[in-house]
PDB file of all heavy atoms in Angstrom:
ATOM      1  N   ARG A   1      17.531  -0.873  -0.953  1.00  0.00           N
ATOM      2  CA  ARG A   1      16.779  -0.023  -0.036  1.00  0.00           C
ATOM      3  C   ARG A   1      15.395   0.303  -0.573  1.00  0.00           C
ATOM      4  O   ARG A   1      15.224   0.562  -1.767  1.00  0.00           O
ATOM      5  CB  ARG A   1      17.550   1.265   0.255  1.00  0.00           C
ATOM      6  CG  ARG A   1      18.822   1.020   1.077  1.00  0.00           C
ATOM      7  CD  ARG A   1      19.454   2.322   1.528  1.00  0.00           C
ATOM      8  NE  ARG A   1      20.494   2.083   2.517  1.00  0.00           N
ATOM      9  CZ  ARG A   1      21.082   3.033   3.231  1.00  0.00           C
ATOM     10  NH1 ARG A   1      20.737   4.307   3.042  1.00  0.00           N
ATOM     11  NH2 ARG A   1      22.003   2.734   4.117  1.00  0.00           N
ATOM     12  N   VAL A   2      14.434   0.309   0.325  1.00  0.00           N
ATOM     13  CA  VAL A   2      13.058   0.658   0.000  1.00  0.00           C
ATOM     14  C   VAL A   2      12.515   1.550   1.103  1.00  0.00           C
ATOM     15  O   VAL A   2      13.106   1.664   2.184  1.00  0.00           O
ATOM     16  CB  VAL A   2      12.164  -0.601  -0.128  1.00  0.00           C
ATOM     17  CG1 VAL A   2      12.620  -1.481  -1.281  1.00  0.00           C
ATOM     18  CG2 VAL A   2      12.139  -1.383   1.183  1.00  0.00           C
ATOM     19  N   ALA A   3      11.394   2.193   0.826  1.00  0.00           N
ATOM     20  CA  ALA A   3      10.687   2.964   1.846  1.00  0.00           C
ATOM     21  C   ALA A   3       9.415   2.214   2.207  1.00  0.00           C
ATOM     22  O   ALA A   3       8.714   1.702   1.330  1.00  0.00           O
ATOM     23  CB  ALA A   3      10.353   4.357   1.329  1.00  0.00           C
ATOM     24  N   ILE A   4       9.113   2.123   3.515  1.00  0.00           N
ATOM     25  CA  ILE A   4       7.919   1.426   3.979  1.00  0.00           C
ATOM     26  C   ILE A   4       7.099   2.367   4.849  1.00  0.00           C
ATOM     27  O   ILE A   4       7.607   2.907   5.832  1.00  0.00           O
ATOM     28  CB  ILE A   4       8.259   0.157   4.783  1.00  0.00           C
ATOM     29  CG1 ILE A   4       9.091  -0.812   3.942  1.00  0.00           C
ATOM     30  CG2 ILE A   4       6.982  -0.520   5.272  1.00  0.00           C
ATOM     31  CD1 ILE A   4       9.419  -2.096   4.654  1.00  0.00           C
ATOM     32  N   LYS A   5       5.843   2.535   4.471  1.00  0.00           N
ATOM     33  CA  LYS A   5       4.924   3.323   5.287  1.00  0.00           C
ATOM     34  C   LYS A   5       4.042   2.352   6.060  1.00  0.00           C
ATOM     35  O   LYS A   5       3.275   1.586   5.471  1.00  0.00           O
ATOM     36  CB  LYS A   5       4.077   4.254   4.424  1.00  0.00           C
ATOM     37  CG  LYS A   5       3.211   5.202   5.254  1.00  0.00           C
ATOM     38  CD  LYS A   5       2.690   6.353   4.419  1.00  0.00           C
ATOM     39  CE  LYS A   5       2.059   7.425   5.297  1.00  0.00           C
ATOM     40  NZ  LYS A   5       1.710   8.640   4.534  1.00  0.00           N
ATOM     41  N   TRP A   6       4.140   2.395   7.399  1.00  0.00           N
ATOM     42  CA  TRP A   6       3.370   1.518   8.277  1.00  0.00           C
ATOM     43  C   TRP A   6       2.285   2.348   8.927  1.00  0.00           C
ATOM     44  O   TRP A   6       2.566   3.303   9.669  1.00  0.00           O
ATOM     45  CB  TRP A   6       4.277   0.896   9.329  1.00  0.00           C
ATOM     46  CG  TRP A   6       3.689  -0.298  10.025  1.00  0.00           C
ATOM     47  CD1 TRP A   6       2.765  -1.153   9.550  1.00  0.00           C
ATOM     48  CD2 TRP A   6       4.042  -0.763  11.326  1.00  0.00           C
ATOM     49  NE1 TRP A   6       2.500  -2.135  10.455  1.00  0.00           N
ATOM     50  CE2 TRP A   6       3.269  -1.933  11.564  1.00  0.00           C
ATOM     51  CE3 TRP A   6       4.939  -0.343  12.305  1.00  0.00           C
ATOM     52  CZ2 TRP A   6       3.362  -2.659  12.754  1.00  0.00           C
ATOM     53  CZ3 TRP A   6       5.034  -1.068  13.488  1.00  0.00           C
ATOM     54  CH2 TRP A   6       4.262  -2.207  13.715  1.00  0.00           C
ATOM     55  N   LEU A   7       1.041   2.032   8.634  1.00  0.00           N
ATOM     56  CA  LEU A   7      -0.057   2.868   9.081  1.00  0.00           C
ATOM     57  C   LEU A   7      -0.422   2.643  10.541  1.00  0.00           C
ATOM     58  O   LEU A   7      -0.070   1.624  11.139  1.00  0.00           O
ATOM     59  CB  LEU A   7      -1.281   2.663   8.187  1.00  0.00           C
ATOM     60  CG  LEU A   7      -1.300   3.605   6.973  1.00  0.00           C
ATOM     61  CD1 LEU A   7      -0.272   3.182   5.944  1.00  0.00           C
ATOM     62  CD2 LEU A   7      -2.671   3.663   6.352  1.00  0.00           C
ATOM     63  N   ARG A   8      -1.144   3.615  11.084  1.00  0.00           N
ATOM     64  CA  ARG A   8      -1.612   3.540  12.463  1.00  0.00           C
ATOM     65  C   ARG A   8      -2.527   2.332  12.649  1.00  0.00           C
ATOM     66  O   ARG A   8      -3.134   1.848  11.697  1.00  0.00           O
ATOM     67  CB  ARG A   8      -2.373   4.810  12.843  1.00  0.00           C
ATOM     68  CG  ARG A   8      -1.583   6.088  12.684  1.00  0.00           C
ATOM     69  CD  ARG A   8      -0.480   6.186  13.701  1.00  0.00           C
ATOM     70  NE  ARG A   8       0.250   7.447  13.569  1.00  0.00           N
ATOM     71  CZ  ARG A   8       1.449   7.664  14.098  1.00  0.00           C
ATOM     72  NH1 ARG A   8       2.054   6.707  14.780  1.00  0.00           N
ATOM     73  NH2 ARG A   8       2.040   8.829  13.946  1.00  0.00           N
ATOM     74  N   PRO A   9      -2.683   1.854  13.894  1.00  0.00           N
ATOM     75  CA  PRO A   9      -3.535   0.687  14.135  1.00  0.00           C
ATOM     76  C   PRO A   9      -4.980   0.946  13.739  1.00  0.00           C
ATOM     77  O   PRO A   9      -5.503   2.049  13.844  1.00  0.00           O
ATOM     78  CB  PRO A   9      -3.422   0.466  15.652  1.00  0.00           C
ATOM     79  CG  PRO A   9      -2.145   1.129  16.038  1.00  0.00           C
ATOM     80  CD  PRO A   9      -1.995   2.308  15.109  1.00  0.00           C
ATOM     81  N   GLY A  10      -5.637  -0.111  13.253  1.00  0.00           N
ATOM     82  CA  GLY A  10      -7.058  -0.076  12.922  1.00  0.00           C
ATOM     83  C   GLY A  10      -7.600  -1.472  13.083  1.00  0.00           C
ATOM     84  O   GLY A  10      -6.888  -2.386  13.505  1.00  0.00           O
ATOM     85  N   ASP A  11      -8.852  -1.713  12.767  1.00  0.00           N
ATOM     86  CA  ASP A  11      -9.374  -3.065  12.919  1.00  0.00           C
ATOM     87  C   ASP A  11      -8.966  -3.929  11.739  1.00  0.00           C
ATOM     88  O   ASP A  11      -8.595  -3.437  10.680  1.00  0.00           O
ATOM     89  CB  ASP A  11     -10.898  -3.059  13.077  1.00  0.00           C
ATOM     90  CG  ASP A  11     -11.583  -2.452  11.865  1.00  0.00           C
ATOM     91  OD1 ASP A  11     -11.688  -3.176  10.864  1.00  0.00           O
ATOM     92  OD2 ASP A  11     -11.987  -1.273  11.937  1.00  0.00           O
ATOM     93  N   THR A  12      -9.029  -5.247  11.937  1.00  0.00           N
ATOM     94  CA  THR A  12      -8.526  -6.196  10.939  1.00  0.00           C
ATOM     95  C   THR A  12      -9.233  -6.054   9.599  1.00  0.00           C
ATOM     96  O   THR A  12      -8.617  -6.064   8.545  1.00  0.00           O
ATOM     97  CB  THR A  12      -8.698  -7.642  11.453  1.00  0.00           C
ATOM     98  OG1 THR A  12      -8.025  -7.762  12.699  1.00  0.00           O
ATOM     99  CG2 THR A  12      -8.124  -8.643  10.467  1.00  0.00           C
ATOM    100  N   VAL A  13     -10.563  -5.896   9.634  1.00  0.00           N
ATOM    101  CA  VAL A  13     -11.304  -5.778   8.380  1.00  0.00           C
ATOM    102  C   VAL A  13     -10.840  -4.561   7.606  1.00  0.00           C
ATOM    103  O   VAL A  13     -10.635  -4.602   6.401  1.00  0.00           O
ATOM    104  CB  VAL A  13     -12.815  -5.697   8.672  1.00  0.00           C
ATOM    105  CG1 VAL A  13     -13.585  -5.417   7.381  1.00  0.00           C
ATOM    106  CG2 VAL A  13     -13.300  -6.994   9.301  1.00  0.00           C
ATOM    107  N   SER A  14     -10.610  -3.453   8.317  1.00  0.00           N
ATOM    108  CA  SER A  14     -10.174  -2.246   7.636  1.00  0.00           C
ATOM    109  C   SER A  14      -8.789  -2.437   7.028  1.00  0.00           C
ATOM    110  O   SER A  14      -8.512  -1.938   5.949  1.00  0.00           O
ATOM    111  CB  SER A  14     -10.155  -1.068   8.619  1.00  0.00           C
ATOM    112  OG  SER A  14     -11.466  -0.750   9.022  1.00  0.00           O
ATOM    113  N   ALA A  15      -7.904  -3.148   7.723  1.00  0.00           N
ATOM    114  CA  ALA A  15      -6.565  -3.387   7.189  1.00  0.00           C
ATOM    115  C   ALA A  15      -6.641  -4.188   5.895  1.00  0.00           C
ATOM    116  O   ALA A  15      -5.956  -3.887   4.912  1.00  0.00           O
ATOM    117  CB  ALA A  15      -5.713  -4.127   8.225  1.00  0.00           C
ATOM    118  N   GLU A  16      -7.490  -5.234   5.870  1.00  0.00           N
ATOM    119  CA  GLU A  16      -7.620  -6.037   4.660  1.00  0.00           C
ATOM    120  C   GLU A  16      -8.199  -5.212   3.517  1.00  0.00           C
ATOM    121  O   GLU A  16      -7.750  -5.298   2.373  1.00  0.00           O
ATOM    122  CB  GLU A  16      -8.515  -7.247   4.950  1.00  0.00           C
ATOM    123  CG  GLU A  16      -7.883  -8.255   5.908  1.00  0.00           C
ATOM    124  CD  GLU A  16      -8.845  -9.347   6.302  1.00  0.00           C
ATOM    125  OE1 GLU A  16     -10.030  -9.244   5.927  1.00  0.00           O
ATOM    126  OE2 GLU A  16      -8.419 -10.286   6.997  1.00  0.00           O
ATOM    127  N   ARG A  17      -9.210  -4.421   3.822  1.00  0.00           N
ATOM    128  CA  ARG A  17      -9.810  -3.569   2.785  1.00  0.00           C
ATOM    129  C   ARG A  17      -8.805  -2.547   2.284  1.00  0.00           C
ATOM    130  O   ARG A  17      -8.730  -2.261   1.090  1.00  0.00           O
ATOM    131  CB  ARG A  17     -11.044  -2.864   3.343  1.00  0.00           C
ATOM    132  CG  ARG A  17     -12.240  -3.769   3.549  1.00  0.00           C
ATOM    133  CD  ARG A  17     -13.422  -2.990   4.084  1.00  0.00           C
ATOM    134  NE  ARG A  17     -13.814  -1.958   3.156  1.00  0.00           N
ATOM    135  CZ  ARG A  17     -14.501  -0.868   3.503  1.00  0.00           C
ATOM    136  NH1 ARG A  17     -14.830  -0.676   4.755  1.00  0.00           N
ATOM    137  NH2 ARG A  17     -14.837   0.031   2.592  1.00  0.00           N
ATOM    138  N   PHE A  18      -8.017  -2.004   3.205  1.00  0.00           N
ATOM    139  CA  PHE A  18      -7.023  -1.017   2.820  1.00  0.00           C
ATOM    140  C   PHE A  18      -6.041  -1.613   1.812  1.00  0.00           C
ATOM    141  O   PHE A  18      -5.718  -0.994   0.791  1.00  0.00           O
ATOM    142  CB  PHE A  18      -6.263  -0.524   4.050  1.00  0.00           C
ATOM    143  CG  PHE A  18      -5.170   0.465   3.731  1.00  0.00           C
ATOM    144  CD1 PHE A  18      -5.432   1.821   3.698  1.00  0.00           C
ATOM    145  CD2 PHE A  18      -3.883   0.039   3.427  1.00  0.00           C
ATOM    146  CE1 PHE A  18      -4.435   2.722   3.389  1.00  0.00           C
ATOM    147  CE2 PHE A  18      -2.883   0.928   3.114  1.00  0.00           C
ATOM    148  CZ  PHE A  18      -3.162   2.277   3.097  1.00  0.00           C
ATOM    149  N   LEU A  19      -5.553  -2.819   2.091  1.00  0.00           N
ATOM    150  CA  LEU A  19      -4.583  -3.439   1.195  1.00  0.00           C
ATOM    151  C   LEU A  19      -5.184  -3.700  -0.174  1.00  0.00           C
ATOM    152  O   LEU A  19      -4.514  -3.539  -1.192  1.00  0.00           O
ATOM    153  CB  LEU A  19      -4.059  -4.739   1.811  1.00  0.00           C
ATOM    154  CG  LEU A  19      -3.175  -4.556   3.050  1.00  0.00           C
ATOM    155  CD1 LEU A  19      -2.798  -5.903   3.634  1.00  0.00           C
ATOM    156  CD2 LEU A  19      -1.928  -3.755   2.719  1.00  0.00           C
ATOM    157  N   ARG A  20      -6.459  -4.103  -0.233  1.00  0.00           N
ATOM    158  CA  ARG A  20      -7.097  -4.305  -1.532  1.00  0.00           C
ATOM    159  C   ARG A  20      -7.192  -2.994  -2.296  1.00  0.00           C
ATOM    160  O   ARG A  20      -6.987  -2.943  -3.511  1.00  0.00           O
ATOM    161  CB  ARG A  20      -8.496  -4.909  -1.336  1.00  0.00           C
ATOM    162  CG  ARG A  20      -8.492  -6.367  -0.920  1.00  0.00           C
ATOM    163  CD  ARG A  20      -9.853  -6.997  -1.160  1.00  0.00           C
ATOM    164  NE  ARG A  20     -10.907  -6.355  -0.404  1.00  0.00           N
ATOM    165  CZ  ARG A  20     -11.293  -6.730   0.807  1.00  0.00           C
ATOM    166  NH1 ARG A  20     -10.677  -7.734   1.410  1.00  0.00           N
ATOM    167  NH2 ARG A  20     -12.283  -6.105   1.410  1.00  0.00           N
ATOM    168  N   GLU A  21      -7.515  -1.923  -1.574  1.00  0.00           N
ATOM    169  CA  GLU A  21      -7.662  -0.624  -2.223  1.00  0.00           C
ATOM    170  C   GLU A  21      -6.324  -0.095  -2.733  1.00  0.00           C
ATOM    171  O   GLU A  21      -6.226   0.455  -3.828  1.00  0.00           O
ATOM    172  CB  GLU A  21      -8.276   0.391  -1.240  1.00  0.00           C
ATOM    173  CG  GLU A  21      -9.732   0.137  -0.903  1.00  0.00           C
ATOM    174  CD  GLU A  21     -10.656   0.475  -2.060  1.00  0.00           C
ATOM    175  OE1 GLU A  21     -10.263   1.296  -2.915  1.00  0.00           O
ATOM    176  OE2 GLU A  21     -11.763  -0.079  -2.113  1.00  0.00           O
ATOM    177  N   VAL A  22      -5.263  -0.245  -1.918  1.00  0.00           N
ATOM    178  CA  VAL A  22      -4.004   0.402  -2.261  1.00  0.00           C
ATOM    179  C   VAL A  22      -3.240  -0.354  -3.337  1.00  0.00           C
ATOM    180  O   VAL A  22      -2.342   0.198  -3.973  1.00  0.00           O
ATOM    181  CB  VAL A  22      -3.124   0.569  -0.998  1.00  0.00           C
ATOM    182  CG1 VAL A  22      -2.349  -0.702  -0.685  1.00  0.00           C
ATOM    183  CG2 VAL A  22      -2.158   1.751  -1.145  1.00  0.00           C
ATOM    184  N   ARG A  23      -3.594  -1.633  -3.593  1.00  0.00           N
ATOM    185  CA  ARG A  23      -2.872  -2.399  -4.608  1.00  0.00           C
ATOM    186  C   ARG A  23      -3.003  -1.809  -5.999  1.00  0.00           C
ATOM    187  O   ARG A  23      -2.176  -2.057  -6.860  1.00  0.00           O
ATOM    188  CB  ARG A  23      -3.349  -3.857  -4.607  1.00  0.00           C
ATOM    189  CG  ARG A  23      -2.729  -4.675  -3.481  1.00  0.00           C
ATOM    190  CD  ARG A  23      -3.221  -6.100  -3.461  1.00  0.00           C
ATOM    191  NE  ARG A  23      -2.731  -6.768  -2.269  1.00  0.00           N
ATOM    192  CZ  ARG A  23      -3.463  -7.559  -1.505  1.00  0.00           C
ATOM    193  NH1 ARG A  23      -4.726  -7.789  -1.826  1.00  0.00           N
ATOM    194  NH2 ARG A  23      -2.959  -8.124  -0.436  1.00  0.00           N
ATOM    195  N   VAL A  24      -4.079  -1.040  -6.204  1.00  0.00           N
ATOM    196  CA  VAL A  24      -4.231  -0.415  -7.518  1.00  0.00           C
ATOM    197  C   VAL A  24      -3.096   0.559  -7.798  1.00  0.00           C
ATOM    198  O   VAL A  24      -2.772   0.844  -8.953  1.00  0.00           O
ATOM    199  CB  VAL A  24      -5.598   0.306  -7.614  1.00  0.00           C
ATOM    200  CG1 VAL A  24      -5.624   1.568  -6.784  1.00  0.00           C
ATOM    201  CG2 VAL A  24      -5.948   0.614  -9.065  1.00  0.00           C
ATOM    202  N   ALA A  25      -2.440   1.072  -6.737  1.00  0.00           N
ATOM    203  CA  ALA A  25      -1.325   2.000  -6.930  1.00  0.00           C
ATOM    204  C   ALA A  25      -0.154   1.336  -7.644  1.00  0.00           C
ATOM    205  O   ALA A  25       0.692   2.021  -8.242  1.00  0.00           O
ATOM    206  CB  ALA A  25      -0.860   2.564  -5.586  1.00  0.00           C
ATOM    207  N   GLN A  26      -0.085  -0.007  -7.617  1.00  0.00           N
ATOM    208  CA  GLN A  26       0.985  -0.703  -8.315  1.00  0.00           C
ATOM    209  C   GLN A  26       0.807  -0.646  -9.824  1.00  0.00           C
ATOM    210  O   GLN A  26       1.707  -1.010 -10.573  1.00  0.00           O
ATOM    211  CB  GLN A  26       1.056  -2.156  -7.843  1.00  0.00           C
ATOM    212  CG  GLN A  26       1.495  -2.290  -6.396  1.00  0.00           C
ATOM    213  CD  GLN A  26       1.540  -3.734  -5.932  1.00  0.00           C
ATOM    214  OE1 GLN A  26       0.570  -4.286  -5.440  1.00  0.00           O
ATOM    215  NE2 GLN A  26       2.680  -4.361  -6.101  1.00  0.00           N
ATOM    216  N   GLN A  27      -0.363  -0.181 -10.293  1.00  0.00           N
ATOM    217  CA  GLN A  27      -0.611  -0.075 -11.727  1.00  0.00           C
ATOM    218  C   GLN A  27      -0.061   1.213 -12.320  1.00  0.00           C
ATOM    219  O   GLN A  27      -0.064   1.384 -13.533  1.00  0.00           O
ATOM    220  CB  GLN A  27      -2.119  -0.136 -11.990  1.00  0.00           C
ATOM    221  CG  GLN A  27      -2.781  -1.411 -11.495  1.00  0.00           C
ATOM    222  CD  GLN A  27      -4.281  -1.380 -11.682  1.00  0.00           C
ATOM    223  OE1 GLN A  27      -4.810  -0.505 -12.351  1.00  0.00           O
ATOM    224  NE2 GLN A  27      -4.980  -2.327 -11.092  1.00  0.00           N
ATOM    225  N   VAL A  28       0.384   2.137 -11.466  1.00  0.00           N
ATOM    226  CA  VAL A  28       0.814   3.439 -11.970  1.00  0.00           C
ATOM    227  C   VAL A  28       2.132   3.312 -12.721  1.00  0.00           C
ATOM    228  O   VAL A  28       3.100   2.748 -12.209  1.00  0.00           O
ATOM    229  CB  VAL A  28       0.962   4.448 -10.811  1.00  0.00           C
ATOM    230  CG1 VAL A  28       1.517   5.776 -11.315  1.00  0.00           C
ATOM    231  CG2 VAL A  28      -0.387   4.666 -10.137  1.00  0.00           C
ATOM    232  N   ALA A  29       2.172   3.828 -13.936  1.00  0.00           N
ATOM    233  CA  ALA A  29       3.413   3.828 -14.717  1.00  0.00           C
ATOM    234  C   ALA A  29       4.443   4.713 -14.024  1.00  0.00           C
ATOM    235  O   ALA A  29       4.101   5.746 -13.441  1.00  0.00           O
ATOM    236  CB  ALA A  29       3.143   4.336 -16.130  1.00  0.00           C
ATOM    237  N   PRO A  30       5.723   4.335 -14.063  1.00  0.00           N
ATOM    238  CA  PRO A  30       6.735   5.035 -13.261  1.00  0.00           C
ATOM    239  C   PRO A  30       7.225   6.339 -13.876  1.00  0.00           C
ATOM    240  O   PRO A  30       8.413   6.546 -14.073  1.00  0.00           O
ATOM    241  CB  PRO A  30       7.868   3.999 -13.202  1.00  0.00           C
ATOM    242  CG  PRO A  30       7.756   3.264 -14.491  1.00  0.00           C
ATOM    243  CD  PRO A  30       6.275   3.184 -14.784  1.00  0.00           C
ATOM    244  N   PHE A  31       6.292   7.236 -14.207  1.00  0.00           N
ATOM    245  CA  PHE A  31       6.673   8.550 -14.699  1.00  0.00           C
ATOM    246  C   PHE A  31       6.723   9.511 -13.517  1.00  0.00           C
ATOM    247  O   PHE A  31       5.694   9.933 -13.005  1.00  0.00           O
ATOM    248  CB  PHE A  31       5.670   9.073 -15.730  1.00  0.00           C
ATOM    249  CG  PHE A  31       5.708   8.341 -17.039  1.00  0.00           C
ATOM    250  CD1 PHE A  31       4.811   7.343 -17.311  1.00  0.00           C
ATOM    251  CD2 PHE A  31       6.647   8.657 -18.005  1.00  0.00           C
ATOM    252  CE1 PHE A  31       4.826   6.673 -18.514  1.00  0.00           C
ATOM    253  CE2 PHE A  31       6.678   7.997 -19.220  1.00  0.00           C
ATOM    254  CZ  PHE A  31       5.767   7.001 -19.467  1.00  0.00           C
ATOM    255  N   CYS A  32       7.909   9.864 -13.059  1.00  0.00           N
ATOM    256  CA  CYS A  32       8.084  10.875 -12.013  1.00  0.00           C
ATOM    257  C   CYS A  32       7.356  10.512 -10.726  1.00  0.00           C
ATOM    258  O   CYS A  32       6.909  11.392  -9.991  1.00  0.00           O
ATOM    259  CB  CYS A  32       7.634  12.254 -12.504  1.00  0.00           C
ATOM    260  SG  CYS A  32       8.456  12.773 -14.021  1.00  0.00           S
ATOM    261  N   THR A  33       7.215   9.226 -10.442  1.00  0.00           N
ATOM    262  CA  THR A  33       6.609   8.781  -9.194  1.00  0.00           C
ATOM    263  C   THR A  33       7.540   7.800  -8.513  1.00  0.00           C
ATOM    264  O   THR A  33       8.469   7.263  -9.127  1.00  0.00           O
ATOM    265  CB  THR A  33       5.258   8.091  -9.432  1.00  0.00           C
ATOM    266  OG1 THR A  33       5.463   6.935 -10.254  1.00  0.00           O
ATOM    267  CG2 THR A  33       4.261   9.028 -10.098  1.00  0.00           C
ATOM    268  N   ALA A  34       7.284   7.564  -7.226  1.00  0.00           N
ATOM    269  CA  ALA A  34       7.984   6.504  -6.497  1.00  0.00           C
ATOM    270  C   ALA A  34       7.149   5.243  -6.653  1.00  0.00           C
ATOM    271  O   ALA A  34       6.028   5.169  -6.160  1.00  0.00           O
ATOM    272  CB  ALA A  34       8.143   6.877  -5.027  1.00  0.00           C
ATOM    273  N   GLN A  35       7.669   4.258  -7.334  1.00  0.00           N
ATOM    274  CA  GLN A  35       6.895   3.070  -7.674  1.00  0.00           C
ATOM    275  C   GLN A  35       6.504   2.290  -6.429  1.00  0.00           C
ATOM    276  O   GLN A  35       7.322   2.034  -5.545  1.00  0.00           O
ATOM    277  CB  GLN A  35       7.719   2.171  -8.601  1.00  0.00           C
ATOM    278  CG  GLN A  35       6.969   0.943  -9.079  1.00  0.00           C
ATOM    279  CD  GLN A  35       7.850   0.063  -9.947  1.00  0.00           C
ATOM    280  OE1 GLN A  35       8.992   0.404 -10.237  1.00  0.00           O
ATOM    281  NE2 GLN A  35       7.323  -1.074 -10.354  1.00  0.00           N
ATOM    282  N   VAL A  36       5.232   1.902  -6.353  1.00  0.00           N
ATOM    283  CA  VAL A  36       4.764   1.033  -5.276  1.00  0.00           C
ATOM    284  C   VAL A  36       5.171  -0.395  -5.618  1.00  0.00           C
ATOM    285  O   VAL A  36       4.826  -0.916  -6.678  1.00  0.00           O
ATOM    286  CB  VAL A  36       3.239   1.138  -5.094  1.00  0.00           C
ATOM    287  CG1 VAL A  36       2.756   0.143  -4.045  1.00  0.00           C
ATOM    288  CG2 VAL A  36       2.861   2.552  -4.683  1.00  0.00           C
ATOM    289  N   LEU A  37       5.916  -1.040  -4.709  1.00  0.00           N
ATOM    290  CA  LEU A  37       6.488  -2.349  -4.994  1.00  0.00           C
ATOM    291  C   LEU A  37       5.697  -3.496  -4.379  1.00  0.00           C
ATOM    292  O   LEU A  37       5.614  -4.573  -4.957  1.00  0.00           O
ATOM    293  CB  LEU A  37       7.936  -2.410  -4.481  1.00  0.00           C
ATOM    294  CG  LEU A  37       8.873  -1.326  -5.016  1.00  0.00           C
ATOM    295  CD1 LEU A  37      10.202  -1.373  -4.291  1.00  0.00           C
ATOM    296  CD2 LEU A  37       9.083  -1.492  -6.512  1.00  0.00           C
ATOM    297  N   ALA A  38       5.142  -3.287  -3.187  1.00  0.00           N
ATOM    298  CA  ALA A  38       4.457  -4.377  -2.501  1.00  0.00           C
ATOM    299  C   ALA A  38       3.596  -3.807  -1.382  1.00  0.00           C
ATOM    300  O   ALA A  38       3.722  -2.637  -1.007  1.00  0.00           O
ATOM    301  CB  ALA A  38       5.465  -5.384  -1.936  1.00  0.00           C
ATOM    302  N   THR A  39       2.722  -4.656  -0.851  1.00  0.00           N
ATOM    303  CA  THR A  39       1.918  -4.305   0.320  1.00  0.00           C
ATOM    304  C   THR A  39       1.925  -5.486   1.267  1.00  0.00           C
ATOM    305  O   THR A  39       2.244  -6.617   0.891  1.00  0.00           O
ATOM    306  CB  THR A  39       0.469  -3.968  -0.066  1.00  0.00           C
ATOM    307  OG1 THR A  39      -0.122  -5.103  -0.690  1.00  0.00           O
ATOM    308  CG2 THR A  39       0.408  -2.768  -0.995  1.00  0.00           C
ATOM    309  N   GLY A  40       1.546  -5.252   2.495  1.00  0.00           N
ATOM    310  CA  GLY A  40       1.485  -6.317   3.482  1.00  0.00           C
ATOM    311  C   GLY A  40       0.869  -5.799   4.764  1.00  0.00           C
ATOM    312  O   GLY A  40       0.435  -4.650   4.853  1.00  0.00           O
ATOM    313  N   ALA A  41       0.817  -6.654   5.764  1.00  0.00           N
ATOM    314  CA  ALA A  41       0.279  -6.257   7.057  1.00  0.00           C
ATOM    315  C   ALA A  41       1.097  -6.904   8.159  1.00  0.00           C
ATOM    316  O   ALA A  41       1.573  -8.036   8.022  1.00  0.00           O
ATOM    317  CB  ALA A  41      -1.187  -6.650   7.183  1.00  0.00           C
TER     318      ALA A  41
END
C-alpha cells in the first residue's frame, strides 16, 4: 500500500516543472517522515 496525491489540473508545462521540483523530496532521509517513493503524471 502507498499513498498517492493527485493534484488539481494545470497546464502541461507546469506539470512537468512540478515533477522536476518535487523530485528533490526523494532525497529526504526517512527520519519521522513519509518517504516519497515516486512521481508521475
Side-chain angles (χ1 to χ4, degrees):
R1 292 189 169 190
V2 296
I4 302 182
K5 186 164 191 172
W6 197 27
L7 271 73
R8 303 291 182 197
D11 61 78
T12 303
V13 174
S14 293
E16 292 173 353
R17 288 181 61 202
F18 178 90
L19 291 176
R20 287 197 299 269
E21 290 287 336
V22 83
R23 281 179 187 137
V24 72
Q26 293 179 271
Q27 301 176 11
V28 175
F31 290 98
C32 305
T33 61
Q35 183 182 357
V36 175
L37 304 172
T39 60

